[in-house]
């Protein structure tokens, strides 16, 4: 090959290489922009999912707000009544203490009368004051009032703590939590909704703590309990049971309500599917519940017989908690 031919071949190779490099650069830019768009879309979807879950929680709290308010007002009412009684009791006690003081002064100042006669007179007046204040009743009733009030404030604290756990947005990272405690807090929120429809019994066996999303699991349990109460026409039974099976924590929520046919069972986890009347529920409860259990790497199953009742079985893995 002469010099001219070699030079021409070199130029053609150079142009081809530059074209290939430009093509590769363009393709890389397109892939980068496409990847960035996918990341943006993913983050947007993740945020929307988080907002949807939170809105569903708030909607549930809205539906239960009257019952929750009643559950708080009930102990608050008797705490207020007890404090009013204690206020009156303290007035009687202070009055009695003042009488003791004046009687003591009288005893020390009345030197004209014989000492036994003075003592007898003072004791008689003390008895009269004690009977007037009904001191025996006060001594017996005050500890009861304090105990009831402490119990009432503890109930209010547990309900508020349950609301805080339920309504907060779970982080992306799993955290250690107690499944039984999570269930008990949720039951406190929904108790007033259920007690007029069913007797709710608990069979919570000892469980190890695990890693997960306590707010999300609370939402699942609440959805199941509300659905169970809606499935009962008159007055029935709902049972919540927990136990361990191999490497799983199992939660069973069973009712003796109307049950479901197979065609309903096949659709209940579909978004927006509902058998309730228009305006009752969103049709997202069970769909969201299934997603939350999947987020725990768990399983959800339903066994239902028309006219006999339904049992939802939730399984979440036991994850060792590192120190």
């Amino acid at each position: 090959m002469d010099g001219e031919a070699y030079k021409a071949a070199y130029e053609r190779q150079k142009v081809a290489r530059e074209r290939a490099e430009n093509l590769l650069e363009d393709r890389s830019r397109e892939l980068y922009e496409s990847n960035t768009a996918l990341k943006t879309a993913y983050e947007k979807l993740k945020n929307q999912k988080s907002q949807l879950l939170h809105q569903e929680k708030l909607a549930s709290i809205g539906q239960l707000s009257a019952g929750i308010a009643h559950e708080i007002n009930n102990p608050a009412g008797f705490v207020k009544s007890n404090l009013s009684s204690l206020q009156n009791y303290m007035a009687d006690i202070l009055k009695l203490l003042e009488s003791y003081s004046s009687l003591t002064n009288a005893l020390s100042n009345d030197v004209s009368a014989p000492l036994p006669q003075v003592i007898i007179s003072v004791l008689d007046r003390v008895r009269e004051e004690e009977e007037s204040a009904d001191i025996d009743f006060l001594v017996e009733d005050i500890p009861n009032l304090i105990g009831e009030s402490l119990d009432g404030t503890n109930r209010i604290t547990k309900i508020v703590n349950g609301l805080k756990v339920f309504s907060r947005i779970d982080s992306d990272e799993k955290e250690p939590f107690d499944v039984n405690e999570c269930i008990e807090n949720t039951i406190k929120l929904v108790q007033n909704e259920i007690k007029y429809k069913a007797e709710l019994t608990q069979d919570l066996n000892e469980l190890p703590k695990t890693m997960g999303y306590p707010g999300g699991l609370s939402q699942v349990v609440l959805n199941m309990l509300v659905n169970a109460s809606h499935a009962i026409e008159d007055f029935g039974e709902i049972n919540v049971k927990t136990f361990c099976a191999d490497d799983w924590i199992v939660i069973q929520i069973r009712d003796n309500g109307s049950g479901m046919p197979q065609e309903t069972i096949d659709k209940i986890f579909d978004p927006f599917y509902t058998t309730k009347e228009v305006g009752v529920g969103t049709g997202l409860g069970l769909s969201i519940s299934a997603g939350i259990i999947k987020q725990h790497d768990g399983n959800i199953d339903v066994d239902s017989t028309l006219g006999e009742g339904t049992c939802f079985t939730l399984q979440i893995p036991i994850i060792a908690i590192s120190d």
Side-chain angles (χ1 to χ4, degrees):
M1 180 183 295
D2 57 23
E4 290 298 327
Y6 180 83
K7 184 177 180 181
Y10 174 79
E11 289 297 331
R12 286 194 302 271
Q13 186 181 25
K14 180 180 178 183
V15 170
R17 185 174 63 251
E18 290 176 351
R19 186 179 299 166
E21 289 175 351
N22 291 336
L23 183 62
L24 180 61
E25 184 178 349
D26 291 342
R27 185 56 180 160
S28 297
R29 187 184 304 109
E30 290 174 2
L31 288 172
Y32 175 79
E33 291 173 353
S34 175
N35 189 44
T36 302
L38 284 172
K39 285 183 178 179
T40 303
Y42 172 75
E43 291 298 326
K44 186 176 180 180
L45 283 172
K46 190 167 74 169
N47 291 335
Q48 288 176 341
K49 178 183 177 183
S50 178
Q51 291 172 7
L52 179 63
L53 289 172
H54 193 56
Q55 288 170 0
E56 180 69 12
K57 283 184 181 182
L58 297 180
S60 299
I61 292 175
Q63 292 173 0
L64 301 173
S65 58
I68 293 171
H70 177 81
E71 288 298 305
I72 292 176
N73 283 335
N74 186 35
F78 69 69
V79 168
K80 181 179 179 180
S81 175
N82 287 349
L83 289 175
S84 178
S85 297
L86 283 172
Q87 187 178 41
N88 294 331
Y89 292 173
M90 284 305 303
D92 290 338
I93 291 172
L94 290 174
K95 183 179 178 181
L96 185 60
L97 290 175
E98 290 176 1
S99 298
Y100 284 156
S101 178
S102 62
L103 291 174
T104 303
N105 291 335
L107 179 62
S108 60
N109 293 332
D110 192 358
V111 295
S112 58
L115 188 58
Q117 182 179 348
V118 173
I119 293 174
I120 292 172
S121 175
V122 169
L123 288 175
D124 289 340
R125 292 170 63 185
V126 167
R127 291 191 188 97
E128 290 176 3
E129 293 292 341
E130 288 180 341
E131 290 176 0
S132 175
D134 200 358
I135 192 67
D136 291 337
F137 171 76
L138 298 187
V139 169
E140 179 182 351
D141 199 40
I142 285 176
N144 294 333
L145 292 183
I146 293 174
E148 288 178 358
S149 299
L150 289 173
D151 178 66
T153 54
N154 285 335
R155 283 168 58 183
I156 293 172
T157 299
K158 288 178 180 178
I159 292 170
V160 172
N161 287 340
L163 273 173
K164 286 170 62 178
V165 171
F166 180 80
S167 61
R168 72 187 178 93
I169 299 176
D170 281 321
S171 67
D172 292 335
E173 299 295 328
K174 290 181 178 180
E175 60 182 89
F177 78 110
D178 185 322
V179 170
N180 283 340
E181 182 180 344
C182 181
I183 292 172
E184 289 171 340
N185 287 337
T186 305
I187 287 175
K188 289 181 177 67
L189 298 183
V190 76
Q191 182 68 53
N192 197 71
E193 173 87 2
I194 292 176
K195 66 183 181 182
Y196 300 107
K197 296 295 297 290
E199 179 183 358
L200 176 60
T201 58
Q202 303 176 48
D203 182 13
L204 307 182
N205 294 284
E206 185 175 352
L207 302 175
K209 283 190 174 183
T210 188
M211 301 291 291
Y213 308 95
L217 188 63
S218 292
Q219 186 173 0
V220 174
V221 173
L222 184 140
N223 288 339
M224 300 293 178
L225 291 175
V226 170
N227 285 345
S229 69
H230 289 171
I232 296 171
E233 294 183 3
D234 297 318
F235 192 86
E237 299 175 357
I238 300 173
N239 176 260
V240 182
K241 182 177 181 179
T242 60
F243 58 92
C244 288
D246 298 325
D247 296 327
W248 298 91
I249 289 175
V250 182
I251 306 168
Q252 288 184 335
I253 300 175
R254 186 185 302 274
D255 67 73
N256 64 346
S258 57
M260 295 178 286
Q262 188 60 46
E263 54 266 28
T264 299
I265 295 175
D266 293 339
K267 298 177 182 178
I268 56 173
F269 296 114
D270 294 345
F272 304 108
Y273 178 79
T274 180
T275 58
K276 299 175 183 176
E277 298 176 2
V278 176
V280 180
T282 61
L284 289 172
L286 289 177
S287 174
I288 287 175
S289 296
I292 292 172
I293 296 301
K294 184 177 180 181
Q295 190 181 21
H296 281 84
D297 299 316
N299 305 305
I300 182 169
D301 188 34
V302 58
D303 180 28
S304 185
T305 302
L306 194 61
E308 296 184 10
T310 301
C311 178
F312 281 93
T313 300
L314 317 175
Q315 292 180 304
I316 60 173
I318 299 173
I319 301 175
I321 298 171
S322 57
D323 296 332

